[in-house]
Amino acid sequence: MKTCPQCGELNGDSRVFCFKCQTALPKAEAYRKICLACKTIHAGRAESCETCGGRLSVYSEAAVTADRRESGSCLLYIISVLIPIAGIILGCIYIARQEDELGKSLLATSIVTWVIAVLLGIAFAGCSLR
């Protein structure tokens, strides 16, 4: 569907002018496909990847940006799980040095933070490692 730049009305892909306000519509772009395995971009008529034989999906900048954003959020999730583990280790070190107050505070905070991070990861399950 094409959106009219003047009035915002949706028009069919084959329309040249908006049916509501008669404004000239932009030409429809030819679609492309991307290989899910090797990320090679192909013409829209291709059925499989010529490079690796992988499956093709319709290519769009929004899908590529979302894929990048998803991999970034996965990295942040991994970091949010590892930092509390470092706090648990430091808490044990402080307790071994007879600094009980600081050690107990670090342990309690780290364990609660780690449990919350794991529960949120399970609840949203948006982290997929590739």
Side-chain angles (χ1 to χ4, degrees):
M1 299 291 286
K2 294 180 186 177
T3 303
C4 177
Q6 181 69 29
C7 67
E9 186 68 37
L10 290 176
N11 292 275
D13 288 331
S14 61
R15 303 250 344 161
V16 178
F17 296 98
C18 176
F19 77 90
K20 188 174 182 182
C21 67
Q22 302 304 317
T23 302
L25 297 172
K27 290 185 177 181
E29 298 177 16
Y31 72 96
R32 298 176 290 172
K33 293 183 178 178
I34 187 168
C35 176
L36 298 175
C38 68
K39 306 296 185 209
T40 306
I41 299 173
H42 300 279
R45 65 183 179 281
E47 295 297 321
S48 63
C49 180
E50 299 167 359
T51 306
C52 69
R55 196 176 79 185
L56 299 180
S57 178
V58 176
Y59 173 82
S60 70
E61 288 295 327
V64 172
T65 304
D67 187 39
R68 287 185 193 137
R69 208 175 296 132
E70 182 178 307
S71 64
S73 66
C74 184
L75 178 63
L76 289 176
Y77 176 72
I78 291 170
I79 290 171
S80 72
V81 170
L82 292 179
I83 288 176
I85 292 174
I88 292 171
I89 293 169
L90 285 174
C92 291
I93 291 171
Y94 280 119
I95 288 175
R97 288 185 178 174
Q98 304 300 324
E99 297 178 35
D100 291 339
E101 285 300 315
L102 182 59
K104 288 178 183 177
S105 297
L106 265 171
L107 276 175
T109 305
S110 298
I111 290 172
V112 168
T113 305
W114 186 77
V115 168
I116 290 171
V118 169
L119 289 176
L120 287 175
I122 292 170
F124 293 114
C127 182
S128 60
L129 296 175
R130 293 176 194 169

